[in-house]
Amino acid sequence: MTNSMTLAYRVVDLREDANKAGDIIIEGARTPEDAAREALGLRLIRSGSKRDLAARVYWQHSGQPLNMVRLYTKVTDR
């Protein structure tokens, strides 16, 4: 990234058994998946069934709209 600004990701833990302490802000991650792994300690993927939804990750580049991706646990991780 040529921009000197560090991109911050906001990770929202959606797991039923999660400690709902609030959103977790991660700075410097390369991808939403990396941010979720750092925040939650899980390897999540971008596709899955509704019951496997684990997190939403938000980020925004300067002057751009807010982005969001839903991340899911792998079926083998259930």
Side-chain angles (χ1 to χ4, degrees):
M1 192 183 321
T2 59
N3 190 342
S4 62
M5 299 281 296
T6 301
L7 189 60
Y9 292 92
R10 181 168 52 104
V11 180
V12 180
D13 192 345
L14 301 174
R15 297 171 295 160
E16 287 184 18
D17 60 346
N19 178 5
K20 302 293 184 184
D23 302 348
I24 302 165
I25 305 298
I26 301 295
E27 293 187 7
R30 292 184 355 196
T31 65
E33 291 86 352
D34 287 345
R37 185 171 33 256
E38 187 174 330
L40 307 177
L42 299 171
R43 289 191 179 273
L44 301 175
I45 58 176
R46 291 192 185 208
S47 63
S49 67
K50 189 173 183 176
R51 70 179 180 186
D52 295 324
L53 182 61
R56 281 193 312 258
V57 180
Y58 297 87
W59 72 98
Q60 186 171 21
H61 294 282
S62 180
Q64 298 294 316
L66 184 65
N67 296 292
M68 185 273 293
V69 67
R70 291 174 185 87
L71 297 177
Y72 302 83
T73 56
K74 294 181 180 180
V75 174
T76 57
D77 293 341
R78 247 193 255 147

